[in-house]
Amino acid sequence: MSKVPLTTHGAELLRAELHNLKTVERPSVIAAIAEARSHGDLSENAEYDAAKERQSFVEGRIAEVEFKLSNAQIIDPQQLDAEGRCVFGATVDLEDLESGEAVTYQIVGDDEADIKQGKISIGSPIARALIGKFAGDVAEVQAPGGVREYEVLDVKYI
């Protein structure tokens, strides 16, 4: 089994989601199934079918989150000693050499990725190009629109 890389924040978010699924969503679905059953004939009961489908989704998500947490390799970016290299959990300031636009990304696990918050997945093309780079290096990223070059301005572990 491979380890699932997570930052400490990402692990906290998964634990909170799991708690919500078990304490709020699961009881809600059980109540919806009981309510639908009380309406009689289950063969033509759309409420019952919808509740059972929701239950299947909730139980599947619980199993998925529990699996990820049990196989998690939790990395605290503040505890990293990567000597200025881009690694998992690092926050990287970049400059697009073509447009001059400055961006900041944190390299995180697949579940934590959210480009609107500046968090990119370790499996993304830009993160793969950045891994191992130092401030001052240029990373070439194979993007759908062609090769883009980014200069690494700074690497932080926050």
Side-chain angles (χ1 to χ4, degrees), residues 11-131:
E12 289 171 18
L13 291 176
L14 279 180
R15 285 187 195 105
E17 179 184 358
L18 182 62
H19 179 73
N20 180 59
L21 286 168
K22 286 184 171 182
T23 61
V24 176
E25 295 294 326
R26 184 185 270 168
S28 163
V29 168
I30 291 170
I33 290 172
E35 173 69 22
R37 273 193 175 150
S38 70
H39 294 211
D41 186 12
L42 299 181
S43 64
E44 295 179 14
N45 190 330
E47 267 184 57
Y48 179 76
D49 291 339
K52 289 298 278 183
E53 189 173 313
R54 178 79 182 139
Q55 180 185 35
S56 176
F57 172 79
V58 168
E59 294 301 327
R61 185 64 184 156
I62 288 171
E64 182 182 356
V65 172
E66 285 177 338
F67 174 81
K68 287 179 181 177
L69 286 172
S70 68
N71 291 302
Q73 179 180 0
I74 299 173
I75 299 166
D76 185 354
Q78 295 176 345
Q79 304 299 319
L80 293 176
D81 184 21
E83 300 161 359
R85 263 181 324 163
C86 291
V87 294
F88 180 86
T91 301
V92 186
D93 294 331
L94 304 170
E95 180 182 347
D96 186 329
L97 294 179
E98 187 176 310
S99 69
E101 180 184 353
V103 292
T104 301
Y105 294 127
Q106 181 182 18
I107 302 171
V108 297
D110 294 335
D111 291 311
E112 301 170 75
D114 184 355
I115 195 69
K116 291 177 184 167
Q117 293 182 3
K119 296 181 179 204
I120 57 172
S121 167
I122 186 73
S124 70
I126 191 164
R128 289 195 314 258
L130 290 172
I131 295 295

Side-chain angles (χ1 to χ4, degrees), residues 124-150:
S124 70
I126 191 164
R128 289 195 314 258
L130 290 172
I131 295 295
K133 301 280 193 260
F134 292 89
D137 290 351
V138 173
E140 290 186 357
V141 178
Q142 186 64 44
V147 176
R148 298 189 69 167
E149 292 184 329
Y150 292 93

